[in-house]
Structures are given as C-alpha cells and as structure tokens.
Amino acid sequence: MLSSTNTITPAGYGRFREYLQKVCGISLSDNKQYLVASRLGKILERENFSKIEQLVDALDRPMNAKLKEEVINAMTTNETLWFRDTHPFTILREKVLPEMTGAPLRIWSAASSTGQEPYSISMVIEEFKNARPGVLKPGERIVATDICTNILQHAKQGEYDSLAIARGLGPDLQGRYFDKLDDSTWKIKSHLSSRVDFKYLNLIDSFAGLGKFDVIFCRNVLIYFTVDLKQDILRRMHASLKPGGYLFLGGSEALSGLSDYFEIVQCHPGIVYKAKPR
C-alpha cells in the first residue's frame, strides 16, 4: 500500500510524471508527490502495489486499458461551477451571439467536466433567443468534450445535488431551467440538454473530426500542459474555428507567441480571442 509521499521515490515520481504527460498532456511540477499519493492511494492498495513504479509498469501493458482510464480519471481536476467567472458568458451573450447570423451556431466546450460549462452556454443561448428571436438560425449545437470518462457520464445525466446546483446558479435560472427530482436532486430541462453532445476527447489527439466551430471555450485546462503542447493545441483550435470565430480561455491563461493566429478583443471586463485568417 502507498501510505505516504515518502514511499514515492524521486525516480518513481519522475517515471509517473513522464507517463502522465505522454498519455494526456498533464504536466506535474516537481513537488506534487502528495497529490499523486492522495489520488492514487486506493488504486495502488487495491492492486497491491507498494511502489508507484509497479503502477507505471502495469499501465504500459496493452491489456490494462481500464486501469489507464481509472488513473487518468483520478488525476484529472474537475473543479467547476455554473457561469464560472461570469464575464465570458456576458461576452458570449452581448458580443458574440449577435454576430452569429449565418449557419446554425456550433460551440465547443473543450473541458466540459461535470457539464456546468456547456449547460451554462445552453442557458445563455436560450436567454438570447428569448430576448432576440430570429437572430440565431435554428439547430445550434454544443459539443462538450472531456478526457475523464466517469465525469462525462455524470454530465450526460444532467443531474446535480443541492450543493452543486447552488454554485454560481441563481434561484431564477434554477427554477426556470431545472426540474426538481426530489428534495436534493435537480435535473436540467431537456430542451437545454438536447442541444449538447458529450464526447470523450484527449486534447493531445486530433480533434479535426469534430468539425468547425463558431466559438470554442477552452478554459482552465491549458494551465496543466507544457508551453509547447499548449501552443500546439491552440494552433489546432485555430484550425477548428470558422473564419472570425472566437476562443475563450480561463482567467489565468493567455496566448503567447500566437499573435499571427488570434487577435485580442477587449470587452471591459474580460477579453476574448478572435481567429485571424491564415
């Protein structure tokens, strides 16, 4: 059993860091042994592994795909809430959606976690359509992707307990867009969830098959990647945007070295990045 950070040797931790970055892009810093121990402790105990090296050896075997999925799920951070940071959703409603008068709108939520972001986007679309009928063409779609398989299943169900539903969601929207299933569970209404398609996706892999988008939300995920991988993902996201499409990043994230791909649009408060033609 891996009982403390002391049982993770520097060499073992280095091997696990390399493996995690190779398979999903997550780059752990030098001092995260405690995080690995806390998140993988139950898996290591169940598998009767006394060292992290034994886990890495097992993960390298092709027949252990389920174990690999379980480890990635455990190491993925899924912190989220409704309308996180507020201003990106204000920008979407007031700046971006009024420009989307062509083909049916397509939005990609690239780290959808338990579903709060794509469902928040769906609520913004619904509010906009009610306030300005006829601006958006019918048939809007939201593609929501994540690498964490158990989280995706949760998101597809669209059910949240009272604590989760209260994080960032006002009572007016809660009453308007959710059905109460019992004293502690709420489910998003079907006309909002029906425009969201949840899919598994590892951002280090190709996402060209998802098609082209008017808007991409890629928030609070690139901070876990190396600079080179981050730039690679952003270049490929540029290729996935329609001409003049918009990219939203997290509050602590910024573009670096990609001024040929995106221009900054100041929105006071907040910014959004607009794809330049190439």
Side-chain angles (χ1 to χ4, degrees), residues 100 104-110 141 143 145 201-218 231-248 261-262 273-278:
M100 301 297 156
L105 176 69
R106 297 192 79 236
I107 296 179
W108 177 17
S109 170
R141 303 304 302 167
V143 177
T145 66
L201 182 70
N202 187 337
L203 287 175
I204 70 175
D205 296 332
S206 172
F207 39 76
L210 297 179
K212 294 283 189 176
F213 296 93
D214 301 285
V215 182
I216 296 176
F217 278 68
C218 184
Q231 291 196 341
D232 172 65
I233 291 170
L234 288 171
R235 289 188 188 98
R236 290 186 287 124
M237 284 188 169
H238 178 276
S240 294
L241 282 167
K242 296 177 184 178
Y246 289 95
L247 170 68
F248 288 89
Y261 291 80
F262 296 94
Y273 300 93
K274 189 170 187 177
K276 291 181 177 181
R278 284 186 61 82

Side-chain angles (χ1 to χ4, degrees), residues 28-47:
L28 295 175
S29 58
D30 291 337
N31 59 348
K32 295 293 186 180
Q33 289 93 331
Y34 71 93
L35 179 68
V36 174
S38 64
R39 293 194 178 185
L40 299 184
K42 290 182 179 179
I43 296 174
L44 291 158
E45 182 177 6
R46 186 195 69 211
E47 300 294 327

Side-chain angles (χ1 to χ4, degrees), residues 249-265:
L249 298 180
S252 62
E253 298 166 325
L255 295 178
S256 178
L258 295 171
S259 58
D260 290 343
Y261 291 80
F262 296 94
E263 65 174 294
I264 299 175
V265 179

Side-chain angles (χ1 to χ4, degrees), residues 144-163:
T145 66
D146 204 279
I147 194 173
C148 191
T149 52
N150 59 344
I151 289 298
L152 278 172
Q153 188 58 41
H154 181 167
K156 289 177 183 178
Q157 292 174 346
E159 297 180 10
Y160 302 90
D161 62 28
S162 298
L163 181 62

Side-chain angles (χ1 to χ4, degrees), residues 162 180-186:
S162 298
K180 190 172 184 180
L181 301 184
D182 54 43
D183 289 343
S184 61
T185 309
W186 297 77

